[in-house]
Amino acid sequence: MALMTTVFAASLALTAGVGTPSPEQGAVSVSGAFLPVGDTGYGAVTDETGYGAVTYAPGAVPIGSRIRVTERTGDQGTRFELRLEGVGAGRTFGAHVHRNPCGKDPAAAGAHYQDAVDPVQPSVDPVYANPRNEAWLDLATDAHGRGRSQTTVGWRIRVGEAGSVVVHEHATHTGPGHAGSAGPRLACITVPFV
């Protein structure tokens, strides 16, 4: 099943609190079904743009379960939304915007995107690894494996510096030495952030 990617022009009506549309504003919405890791790359099937969603842990994020990521930019920042369907029921997942596109290896997505980049990587300092400096999209699923989260940050992603949303095993830690960590990477979707 191919993924659908939509990039909207500046005429998009944005949500309250993000600002009035201007030529620098836009939105991206990417959705699709999770596929197994292929022998020659990430998702076994991708659309013509090469974007894909891949599961690394089919027990928690089954093949065929669905994801949608939306990014809307405005004068005052960026709003991100994540939706999952058909994943593990009644549990909490961590989720974050990561720097690179998805790959065959879960580590291919790289580190979390940070507005102010921590000079020490991996970043576990709560001064940098926090929901104001990163895009955290942790969510809890219902009895049917559906969940939704959103966050708004006061910044926009720098061009070419973010490439995916990664779903993690558990909620994101906030304490020193563990800030930003959320366990193993269970699934990933490549996103052409604007």
PDB file of all heavy atoms in Angstrom, residues 35 44 47-48 66 79 81 103 111 134 151 164 169 194:
ATOM      1  N   LEU A  35       5.075  -1.100   6.870  1.00  0.00           N
ATOM      2  CA  LEU A  35       5.538  -2.242   6.096  1.00  0.00           C
ATOM      3  C   LEU A  35       6.741  -2.859   6.795  1.00  0.00           C
ATOM      4  O   LEU A  35       7.418  -2.208   7.595  1.00  0.00           O
ATOM      5  CB  LEU A  35       5.940  -1.785   4.693  1.00  0.00           C
ATOM      6  CG  LEU A  35       4.820  -1.123   3.891  1.00  0.00           C
ATOM      7  CD1 LEU A  35       5.368  -0.466   2.646  1.00  0.00           C
ATOM      8  CD2 LEU A  35       3.764  -2.158   3.550  1.00  0.00           C
ATOM      9  N   ALA A  44       9.141  -2.105   2.182  1.00  0.00           N
ATOM     10  CA  ALA A  44       9.127  -2.955   1.001  1.00  0.00           C
ATOM     11  C   ALA A  44       8.462  -2.265  -0.176  1.00  0.00           C
ATOM     12  O   ALA A  44       8.774  -2.537  -1.320  1.00  0.00           O
ATOM     13  CB  ALA A  44       8.400  -4.258   1.323  1.00  0.00           C
ATOM     14  N   ASP A  47       5.936   5.075  -2.174  1.00  0.00           N
ATOM     15  CA  ASP A  47       5.352   5.764  -3.318  1.00  0.00           C
ATOM     16  C   ASP A  47       6.463   6.336  -4.194  1.00  0.00           C
ATOM     17  O   ASP A  47       7.648   6.150  -3.929  1.00  0.00           O
ATOM     18  CB  ASP A  47       4.349   6.830  -2.867  1.00  0.00           C
ATOM     19  CG  ASP A  47       4.986   8.012  -2.159  1.00  0.00           C
ATOM     20  OD1 ASP A  47       6.224   8.129  -2.164  1.00  0.00           O
ATOM     21  OD2 ASP A  47       4.236   8.826  -1.613  1.00  0.00           O
ATOM     22  N   GLU A  48       6.080   7.030  -5.254  1.00  0.00           N
ATOM     23  CA  GLU A  48       7.058   7.523  -6.222  1.00  0.00           C
ATOM     24  C   GLU A  48       8.042   8.527  -5.635  1.00  0.00           C
ATOM     25  O   GLU A  48       9.108   8.750  -6.182  1.00  0.00           O
ATOM     26  CB  GLU A  48       6.347   8.131  -7.445  1.00  0.00           C
ATOM     27  CG  GLU A  48       5.538   9.373  -7.165  1.00  0.00           C
ATOM     28  CD  GLU A  48       4.170   9.124  -6.535  1.00  0.00           C
ATOM     29  OE1 GLU A  48       3.761   7.966  -6.372  1.00  0.00           O
ATOM     30  OE2 GLU A  48       3.517  10.113  -6.186  1.00  0.00           O
ATOM     31  N   ARG A  66      -1.546   1.782  10.760  1.00  0.00           N
ATOM     32  CA  ARG A  66      -1.449   3.034   9.998  1.00  0.00           C
ATOM     33  C   ARG A  66      -0.912   4.187  10.839  1.00  0.00           C
ATOM     34  O   ARG A  66      -1.073   4.206  12.054  1.00  0.00           O
ATOM     35  CB  ARG A  66      -2.815   3.397   9.433  1.00  0.00           C
ATOM     36  CG  ARG A  66      -3.321   2.294   8.473  1.00  0.00           C
ATOM     37  CD  ARG A  66      -4.438   2.735   7.590  1.00  0.00           C
ATOM     38  NE  ARG A  66      -4.148   3.896   6.772  1.00  0.00           N
ATOM     39  CZ  ARG A  66      -3.464   3.876   5.637  1.00  0.00           C
ATOM     40  NH1 ARG A  66      -2.960   2.759   5.168  1.00  0.00           N
ATOM     41  NH2 ARG A  66      -3.273   4.998   4.958  1.00  0.00           N
ATOM     42  N   ARG A  79       3.176  23.422  14.403  1.00  0.00           N
ATOM     43  CA  ARG A  79       2.293  22.475  15.078  1.00  0.00           C
ATOM     44  C   ARG A  79       2.484  21.122  14.406  1.00  0.00           C
ATOM     45  O   ARG A  79       2.396  20.997  13.187  1.00  0.00           O
ATOM     46  CB  ARG A  79       0.838  22.896  14.966  1.00  0.00           C
ATOM     47  CG  ARG A  79      -0.107  21.928  15.652  1.00  0.00           C
ATOM     48  CD  ARG A  79      -1.521  22.499  15.634  1.00  0.00           C
ATOM     49  NE  ARG A  79      -2.420  21.576  16.241  1.00  0.00           N
ATOM     50  CZ  ARG A  79      -3.434  21.000  15.613  1.00  0.00           C
ATOM     51  NH1 ARG A  79      -3.682  21.274  14.353  1.00  0.00           N
ATOM     52  NH2 ARG A  79      -4.214  20.171  16.254  1.00  0.00           N
ATOM     53  N   GLU A  81       1.266  16.954  14.482  1.00  0.00           N
ATOM     54  CA  GLU A  81       0.233  16.026  14.936  1.00  0.00           C
ATOM     55  C   GLU A  81       0.608  14.622  14.475  1.00  0.00           C
ATOM     56  O   GLU A  81       1.099  14.428  13.364  1.00  0.00           O
ATOM     57  CB  GLU A  81      -1.126  16.400  14.362  1.00  0.00           C
ATOM     58  CG  GLU A  81      -2.239  15.500  14.838  1.00  0.00           C
ATOM     59  CD  GLU A  81      -3.601  15.903  14.315  1.00  0.00           C
ATOM     60  OE1 GLU A  81      -3.713  16.934  13.623  1.00  0.00           O
ATOM     61  OE2 GLU A  81      -4.562  15.157  14.594  1.00  0.00           O
ATOM     62  N   GLY A 103      15.317   4.176   7.739  1.00  0.00           N
ATOM     63  CA  GLY A 103      16.189   3.267   7.018  1.00  0.00           C
ATOM     64  C   GLY A 103      15.976   1.842   7.465  1.00  0.00           C
ATOM     65  O   GLY A 103      15.167   1.574   8.363  1.00  0.00           O
ATOM     66  N   ALA A 111      19.553  11.207  15.450  1.00  0.00           N
ATOM     67  CA  ALA A 111      19.144  11.802  16.726  1.00  0.00           C
ATOM     68  C   ALA A 111      17.849  12.590  16.579  1.00  0.00           C
ATOM     69  O   ALA A 111      17.395  12.863  15.474  1.00  0.00           O
ATOM     70  CB  ALA A 111      20.261  12.720  17.222  1.00  0.00           C
ATOM     71  N   GLU A 134      12.596  20.147  21.409  1.00  0.00           N
ATOM     72  CA  GLU A 134      12.396  19.033  20.488  1.00  0.00           C
ATOM     73  C   GLU A 134      10.899  18.901  20.232  1.00  0.00           C
ATOM     74  O   GLU A 134      10.093  19.498  20.938  1.00  0.00           O
ATOM     75  CB  GLU A 134      12.927  17.728  21.097  1.00  0.00           C
ATOM     76  CG  GLU A 134      14.406  17.751  21.407  1.00  0.00           C
ATOM     77  CD  GLU A 134      14.925  16.445  21.990  1.00  0.00           C
ATOM     78  OE1 GLU A 134      14.121  15.558  22.362  1.00  0.00           O
ATOM     79  OE2 GLU A 134      16.149  16.302  22.072  1.00  0.00           O
ATOM     80  N   THR A 151       1.613  18.670  19.330  1.00  0.00           N
ATOM     81  CA  THR A 151       2.411  19.623  20.080  1.00  0.00           C
ATOM     82  C   THR A 151       2.659  20.845  19.210  1.00  0.00           C
ATOM     83  O   THR A 151       2.702  20.742  17.984  1.00  0.00           O
ATOM     84  CB  THR A 151       3.749  19.009  20.547  1.00  0.00           C
ATOM     85  OG1 THR A 151       4.405  19.913  21.440  1.00  0.00           O
ATOM     86  CG2 THR A 151       4.685  18.710  19.377  1.00  0.00           C
ATOM     87  N   SER A 164      12.145  12.517   9.711  1.00  0.00           N
ATOM     88  CA  SER A 164      11.240  11.426  10.064  1.00  0.00           C
ATOM     89  C   SER A 164      10.601  11.647  11.421  1.00  0.00           C
ATOM     90  O   SER A 164      11.007  12.528  12.180  1.00  0.00           O
ATOM     91  CB  SER A 164      12.003  10.095  10.095  1.00  0.00           C
ATOM     92  OG  SER A 164      13.022  10.135  11.077  1.00  0.00           O
ATOM     93  N   GLU A 169       9.321   2.709  22.272  1.00  0.00           N
ATOM     94  CA  GLU A 169       8.694   1.705  23.136  1.00  0.00           C
ATOM     95  C   GLU A 169       7.861   2.271  24.283  1.00  0.00           C
ATOM     96  O   GLU A 169       6.855   1.678  24.673  1.00  0.00           O
ATOM     97  CB  GLU A 169       9.776   0.786  23.706  1.00  0.00           C
ATOM     98  CG  GLU A 169       9.240  -0.314  24.585  1.00  0.00           C
ATOM     99  CD  GLU A 169      10.331  -1.223  25.092  1.00  0.00           C
ATOM    100  OE1 GLU A 169      11.362  -0.708  25.581  1.00  0.00           O
ATOM    101  OE2 GLU A 169      10.158  -2.439  25.003  1.00  0.00           O
ATOM    102  N   VAL A 194       8.646  20.889   6.058  1.00  0.00           N
ATOM    103  CA  VAL A 194       8.834  22.172   5.383  1.00  0.00           C
ATOM    104  C   VAL A 194       9.461  23.180   6.326  1.00  0.00           C
ATOM    105  O   VAL A 194       9.379  23.061   7.504  1.00  0.00           O
ATOM    106  CB  VAL A 194       7.511  22.743   4.828  1.00  0.00           C
ATOM    107  CG1 VAL A 194       6.976  21.846   3.740  1.00  0.00           C
ATOM    108  CG2 VAL A 194       6.480  22.965   5.909  1.00  0.00           C
TER     109      VAL A 194
END
